[in-house]
Amino acid sequence: MKDKFHVVIGSIGAFIGIFVFLAYIPQIFSNLAGDKAQPYQPLVAAVSCLIWVLYGLTNSPKKDYILIIPNALGVVLGLITALTAL
């Protein structure tokens, strides 16, 4: 029961995490249109996500894809958002 609960909660968290980082897309388009924003928050989010990706990749005995997938998206979109804000 505990393992099933862990998988369900982790899956819900991963699903929500994906939408958190998809929320950067409008900001990226706004940045590209010339409405620049501060780059610090998405840059810090990208670094945080990178740490979680590394944690998920080094998890034993198996990789934690519930952590890796949404956070990898966070790394990519966070960096794109930060770079387009410059």
Side-chain angles (χ1 to χ4, degrees), residues 24 28 63 73:
Y24 280 135
I28 293 168
K63 293 175 176 47
L73 182 64

Side-chain angles (χ1 to χ4, degrees), residues 38-82:
Q38 58 81 22
Y40 306 113
Q41 190 277 336
L43 183 61
V44 171
V47 171
S48 173
C49 289
L50 178 61
I51 298 300
W52 283 112
V53 167
L54 295 173
Y55 176 84
L57 287 171
T58 59
N59 196 32
S60 278
K62 62 180 184 168
K63 293 175 176 47
D64 191 344
Y65 290 105
I66 288 176
L67 278 177
I68 295 168
I69 293 169
N71 284 292
L73 182 64
V75 171
V76 172
L77 291 175
L79 287 176
I80 290 171
T81 306

